[in-house]
Amino acid sequence: MKLISLNINGLPVEVEEGTTLLEAARAYGVNIPTLCHDDGLSSYGACRLCVVEIGPPGKSKMVSSCTYRCEDGLEVRTHSAKIMKTRAMMLELLVSSSPQSKTIQDLASAHGMTKQRFRPEHEDCILCGLCVRMCAEQMMSSAIGFVGRGPNRRITTAFDEVSEVCRRCGGCMYICPVCTSRCHGPDEEATLCNACLNFSPSCVAVYDDVQCWMPPECGTCVRPEGDYLPATGRLATEES
Amino acid sequence: MQVVYRQQIAQEIEELKQEFGSDRSALLPILHVMQERYRYIPDRVLQSIAHAFDIHPAEVEGVVSFYSFFETREKLGKYVIRLCQTISCDMVAKDNVARQLENELGIKFGETTRDGMFTLKYTNCLGLCDQGPAMLVNERLFAGVTPDMVHQILIEARRNFVRSDFPCFIPSNVCRRGPILDNGTEPGEGLRAALEQHPEEIIAIIEASQLRGRGGAGFPTAFKWQLAAQDPDEQKYVVCNADEGEPGTFKDRYLLTEHFEAVLDGMTIAAYTIGASQGYIYLRIEYLYLRDTLLAAITRRRESGLLGDKILGKEGFTFDIDIRMGAGSYVCGEETALIQSLEGERGEPRNRPPFPVDTGFFGHPTIVNNVETFLDATLIVVKGPEWFSQHGTDTSKGTKLFSISGECERPGIYELPFGTSIHDLLKEVGAEDAKAVQIGGAAGRCVSRDHFDRTLGFEDLSTGGSIIVFGPETDMLEVARNFSDFFVDESCGQCTPCRIGNVKIRECITMLEEGRCSSAYLNELIKLGDTMRLASKCGLGQAGGNAFRTIAGAFTDEILGRIPGSD
């Protein structure tokens, strides 16, 4: 197998031909956030969270690392200021479309997002297409698919009826980043966290002294502000 | 009600498969026939089609629901009236026509009359921006529609347009000709000249001319052809992108009617150069009225030995061209989306790389070029690279066709060399008092008066040809709204920045209209536009925020602080 050498964040790395930038970065311990990617499924490149900068500074362009294959001598930056700003903006858009998803909240919080400026939509789906690919590629079923386009795009079974080919395997729900660890908001009886009771809007804000038990260490509510925010990832908050 | 039997449908689909082939690429043509036959595509038909192609019904439904010219929910009227809602038509009192249509028919847009005769719909750019408002009745085009004409058109439609007073075909205004339009070449001349050379020599000629793609992105044509020619794959394709969906562009429509032979020559030359045996013209469905003429021209060429086996007696050179119709999707003008659509899939852009020159139509190397690029290539082969490259600037050679519409005295098609400044251009079209100019359509940028010394060309203001002039009275926020409506409507919705971002921009425009948008929020939205430009998956998604960004940047004072209902 031919080896390809490239440079990720100043670190010279060697990977096998055909490896994507995301795989290469993860293999070397560089964590790139993703929402529409799963190792067992084909790459889709739609959430745009995994964007990285390639090329020399000043002449760089952004590509999705989950689809871009490593090239010899490529210069890659995964956490530059530009990238962090882009990711933060993308997460803010995602939070505004699905404010109840724990996964998205965690990612947003890790990128220093402390307030949401866009009007929340309360959609249940971010159209990452993981379930569609899961159904087609792993379950060989294609019971669900995308219909419509633009804002009317949604995922559904054929003709919105109970599908004949669906085996109720639950793979789609298993893989879904929005409903697997979904935050249902404050509920004093049933939930441990409840930090969002005191927040406005919802629990994307930061709170100081509440214990959070949600795996995997979300930390949305417990870490003090400023502690974990990469300086570059912070959104401009002139508005306040 | 028309009763449709499953067996009968299956039979029909089998017959259509005989005609269009049985691979997935026949899906769209078959759907077109079905749509025409039943006036909509009922679930049963979708199911039968899925069965016939051995794919899942969910996939077929996904394809059908992607394109705006397919209807699955309810039966459309015998005549579907589609009124253009894009900016150029919007500026010339399209609303009056719309209201008159609603008054005459007693229905709203999106509805069908109770007698099943008419359906009213809005559509995006019809390629008659210089002669708006434009309207499509089934496949018949009407230009310069006035409220007064509406009644007449409806009466004639009820008489099936027998002895119609309206012209069958509306020619384009050509206001200024140049070396490309006055080429004076005969059909087949370019091809004859090309076949005397070796494919590598042709690439060298094109390279010497420094021809860059005319669709707007400006990729060097010779390089594209060379990449495809180098590929060892035996099956290669040449695709002509005639999906002229960019608002304000209508030059391809003209080229297809007046210079089609030279375009076909260009496609055949490209095929000879890269070693392709099959070509497709991806024609947008709005130009359906051109199809029969184009097909006739292709048949003529087959008969005269310019297409088919052993072209012009050249041993081993086989090439044929087929026309494939789009189905109403702007995104399909993007080359990878176009290939998806040709393959019978949802017209969503693919991840690049791999590029089409490497992995294109059904995985084979495919070159996708604009109509104008093929025409230019033919002329370069006939007249030599110097003839072409004497015009233009250092990085943008040659003359380019511009489609100029909007508030100017002489809208139409202009052939001008690259490097022309906007100022000169406006003098030429008679719009020296213009307030701003939109270069490159909805995906382009808005240039205000202060920057009229900027020039057209790949190094400064790149465009596929669309130039829309805004007069001194134009409300720029309305312009921004129109473009943002367009992008919300046409976004494929695949990637986050384009899908959600465009909706947010539209929301912001509503807030601006109502005078309740803070300047901080406006700045955030401009930043969002920036993020979309950087992070979207395809060129069109990247361009989605451009118009808003540039308008909001140049006309901040005009759009902020409005009092609703004051104008």
Side-chain angles (χ1 to χ4, degrees):
Chain A
M1 181 62 82
K2 199 183 154 202
L3 280 180
I4 288 181
S5 38
L6 65 156
N7 184 305
I8 299 181
N9 297 340
L11 176 79
V13 304
E14 277 200 336
V15 292
E16 282 177 3
E17 193 177 14
T19 317
T20 62
L21 290 178
L22 179 72
E23 285 162 351
R26 285 191 172 167
Y28 278 84
V30 181
N31 188 29
I32 298 174
T34 57
L35 271 176
C36 72
H37 176 82
D38 194 274
D39 284 341
L41 302 173
S42 60
S43 298
Y44 186 47
C47 74
R48 313 309 286 178
L49 274 187
C50 68
V51 285
V52 294
E53 248 184 302
I54 56 167
K59 284 183 178 173
S60 65
K61 63 172 187 174
M62 263 186 217
V63 296
S64 53
S65 60
C66 66
T67 57
Y68 203 93
R69 310 233 170 250
C70 291
E71 290 167 9
D72 244 329
L74 200 66
E75 198 179 315
V76 186
R77 284 179 303 287
T78 60
H79 287 74
S80 63
K82 207 166 156 191
I83 293 289
M84 295 308 280
K85 259 188 214 155
T86 307
R87 281 192 199 140
M89 182 62 91
M90 218 60 64
L91 281 162
E92 196 170 352
L93 288 176
L94 286 168
V95 169
S96 82
S97 88
S98 307
Q100 289 180 315
S101 160
K102 195 85 181 98
T103 320
I104 296 172
Q105 287 173 16
D106 293 355
L107 276 171
S109 138
H111 282 79
M113 184 183 152
T114 52
K115 62 161 69 169
Q116 184 194 323
R117 290 157 301 186
F118 301 125
R119 192 171 61 80
E121 306 267 349
H122 297 287
E123 301 277 342
D124 278 341
C125 178
I126 54 164
L127 298 163
C128 66
L130 276 173
C131 53
V132 176
R133 278 171 290 150
M134 183 74 165
C135 193
E137 293 168 17
Q138 294 291 336
M139 301 305 162
M140 310 299 164
S141 178
S142 285
I144 48 177
F146 288 111
V147 295
R149 73 177 185 208
N152 300 323
R153 188 189 176 101
R154 62 202 170 89
I155 293 171
T156 179
T157 53
F159 322 121
D160 291 336
E161 281 165 15
V162 179
S163 172
E164 291 165 15
V165 286
C166 174
R167 299 191 297 271
R168 318 280 182 279
C169 69
C172 44
M173 287 197 284
Y174 165 77
I175 201 91
C176 178
V178 182
C179 59
T180 37
S181 61
R182 178 164 177 180
C183 179
H184 292 275
D187 178 359
E188 283 173 52
E189 303 287 301
T191 346
L192 288 166
C193 169
N194 275 330
C196 43
L197 264 182
N198 303 306
F199 290 142
S200 163
S202 67
C203 73
V204 289
V206 179
Y207 198 65
D208 278 345
D209 47 21
V210 181
Q211 286 272 60
C212 176
W213 304 98
M214 283 294 283
E217 302 168 58
C218 130
T220 313
C221 16
V222 292
R223 260 178 270 170
E225 188 175 3
D227 202 25
Y228 55 93
L229 309 174
T232 48
R234 236 167 131 61
L235 277 168
T237 46
E238 309 90 308
E239 209 183 343
S240 57
Chain B
M1 193 183 140
Q2 193 175 12
V3 181
V4 184
Y5 295 101
R6 189 168 289 215
Q7 243 176 347
Q8 183 202 330
I9 297 171
Q11 178 69 31
E12 283 175 30
I13 293 168
E14 273 316 308
E15 282 164 17
L16 290 170
K17 271 175 85 175
Q18 303 284 332
E19 189 181 339
F20 296 111
S22 51
D23 60 358
R24 178 80 185 254
S25 68
L27 188 60
L28 246 62
I30 290 181
L31 286 170
H32 273 305
V33 175
M34 285 306 194
Q35 163 87 49
E36 206 183 312
R37 222 171 258 177
Y38 297 108
R39 294 199 219 152
Y40 77 126
I41 309 178
D43 291 355
R44 272 187 195 189
V45 172
L46 289 180
Q47 242 161 1
S48 305
I49 290 177
H51 186 70
F53 281 91
D54 202 18
I55 47 180
H56 292 278
E59 276 184 66
V60 185
E61 202 197 356
V63 172
V64 172
S65 62
F66 185 83
Y67 298 98
S68 64
F69 272 61
F70 292 137
E71 176 65 51
T72 51
R73 292 278 163 250
E74 55 191 40
K75 197 168 175 175
L76 295 177
K78 185 175 175 195
Y79 291 101
V80 183
I81 301 177
R82 290 185 164 92
L83 183 66
C84 175
Q85 61 177 352
T86 318
I87 186 75
S88 303
C89 291
D90 196 49
M91 288 196 296
V92 281
K94 163 219 81 178
D95 285 339
N96 295 356
V97 179
R99 210 167 307 137
Q100 194 55 34
L101 279 168
E102 289 182 338
N103 291 346
E104 297 276 350
L105 295 172
I107 52 171
K108 298 263 173 236
F109 271 81
E111 293 176 353
T112 304
T113 50
R114 288 178 73 180
D115 60 359
M117 277 297 277
F118 296 101
T119 300
L120 274 184
K121 273 179 184 290
Y122 279 120
T123 190
N124 290 321
C125 197
L126 290 174
L128 266 184
C129 317
D130 53 339
Q131 306 172 48
M135 192 166 95
L136 203 59
V137 179
N138 283 0
E139 54 175 81
R140 227 185 145 89
L141 196 59
F142 295 89
V145 183
T146 56
D148 198 29
M149 275 165 72
V150 167
H151 182 64
Q152 181 75 16
I153 293 171
L154 293 180
I155 287 180
E156 289 203 3
R158 287 201 171 92
R159 283 191 277 137
N160 292 330
F161 293 108
V162 179
R163 282 200 316 246
S164 172
D165 287 339
F166 294 103
C168 276
F169 179 74
I170 296 155
S172 309
N173 292 326
V174 182
C175 298
R176 180 169 161 156
R177 295 170 165 277
I180 300 284
L181 289 182
D182 283 331
N183 57 59
T185 48
E186 299 287 313
E189 191 181 335
L191 183 59
R192 275 190 194 91
L195 289 185
E196 286 166 15
Q197 323 234 16
H198 194 264
E200 279 170 22
E201 289 169 328
I202 297 174
I203 292 181
I205 292 173
I206 306 276
E207 196 172 357
S209 73
Q210 296 180 44
L211 172 65
R212 294 172 69 171
R214 271 9 192 181
F219 192 82
T221 307
F223 189 45
K224 191 184 265 187
W225 290 15
Q226 189 172 12
L227 287 174
Q230 280 166 357
D231 203 289
D233 199 323
E234 288 195 351
Q235 184 71 52
K236 298 178 189 175
Y237 295 97
V238 173
V239 176
C240 175
N241 184 348
D243 191 63
E244 189 182 40
E246 191 64 61
T249 325
F250 43 89
K251 47 118 189 151
D252 288 348
R253 192 179 86 95
Y254 173 72
L255 293 182
L256 288 173
T257 46
E258 298 295 323
H259 296 271
F260 187 53
E261 291 282 351
V263 174
L264 289 174
D265 268 346
M267 287 181 72
T268 320
I269 293 170
Y272 172 66
T273 312
I274 69 164
S277 55
Q278 179 66 45
Y280 291 103
I281 296 173
Y282 187 84
L283 185 67
R284 65 195 299 238
I285 186 75
E286 288 87 346
Y287 293 174
L288 187 63
Y289 54 89
L290 293 178
R291 185 176 61 178
D292 290 343
T293 348
L294 303 188
L295 277 175
I298 291 174
T299 313
R300 253 197 330 272
R301 277 176 83 92
R302 262 186 219 126
E303 284 160 4
S304 54
L306 292 168
L307 278 178
D309 289 332
K310 276 206 283 183
I311 293 173
L312 291 173
K314 188 98 179 169
E315 209 56 57
F317 178 36
T318 304
F319 182 64
D320 208 343
I321 296 175
D322 198 5
I323 296 181
R324 286 291 161 93
M325 301 306 295
S329 164
Y330 164 72
V331 182
C332 288
E334 203 272 348
E335 58 177 1
T336 55
L338 189 153
I339 290 172
Q340 284 277 100
S341 181
L342 275 181
E343 287 181 9
E345 307 262 354
R346 290 165 63 84
E348 290 169 354
R350 295 174 180 172
N351 290 298
R352 304 192 309 168
F355 293 94
V357 284
D358 173 55
T359 310
F361 188 53
F362 287 121
H364 299 292
T366 306
I367 55 167
V368 184
N369 277 129
N370 187 258
V371 177
E372 195 183 340
T373 315
F374 282 123
L375 171 65
D376 288 359
T378 308
L379 299 178
I380 289 166
V381 169
V382 175
K383 307 192 178 199
E386 296 79 24
W387 168 83
F388 182 78
S389 59
Q390 61 180 319
H391 303 284
T393 64
D394 285 346
T395 43
S396 318
K397 293 289 182 198
T399 52
K400 167 95 184 77
L401 299 186
F402 294 103
S403 321
I404 298 170
S405 60
E407 290 168 60
C408 55
E409 279 168 33
R410 296 175 291 278
I413 296 169
Y414 288 76
E415 184 184 344
L416 297 166
F418 275 124
T420 307
S421 73
I422 298 181
H423 200 79
D424 294 344
L425 180 109
L426 290 177
K427 202 181 276 178
E428 174 102 20
V429 302
E432 281 170 284
D433 58 345
K435 179 180 185 179
V437 179
Q438 179 79 16
I439 309 282
R445 51 190 307 131
C446 183
V447 180
S448 64
R449 244 193 126 70
D450 315 339
H451 299 282
F452 279 180
D453 52 343
R454 293 184 68 175
T455 55
L456 299 163
F458 298 112
E459 64 278 2
D460 190 4
L461 293 166
S462 172
T463 168
S466 162
I467 293 176
I468 304 168
V469 183
F470 302 122
E473 301 298 314
T474 316
D475 181 350
M476 294 314 286
L477 191 59
E478 268 177 35
V479 174
R481 151 146 315 256
N482 190 291
F483 285 143
S484 118
D485 281 346
F486 175 78
F487 269 106
V488 170
D489 206 25
E490 292 291 348
S491 163
C492 80
Q494 192 179 190
C495 71
T496 313
C498 176
R499 182 185 68 242
I500 311 182
N502 279 314
V503 174
K504 298 296 170 202
I505 287 178
R506 188 165 70 173
E507 271 173 26
C508 177
I509 290 173
T510 311
M511 286 166 76
L512 283 164
E513 282 170 350
E514 292 166 358
R516 50 183 187 88
C517 179
S518 73
S519 49
Y521 191 66
L522 183 66
N523 283 337
E524 283 311 322
L525 262 290
I526 293 177
K527 273 188 206 157
L528 169 68
D530 240 356
T531 309
M532 287 165 66
R533 182 171 61 81
L534 290 168
S536 289
K537 190 165 179 175
C538 73
L540 302 177
Q542 288 162 7
N546 279 355
F548 176 76
R549 259 185 335 120
T550 46
I551 290 174
F555 298 96
T556 323
D557 283 344
E558 185 185 322
I559 62 176
L560 273 174
R562 295 201 168 206
I563 303 162
S566 64
D567 44 25

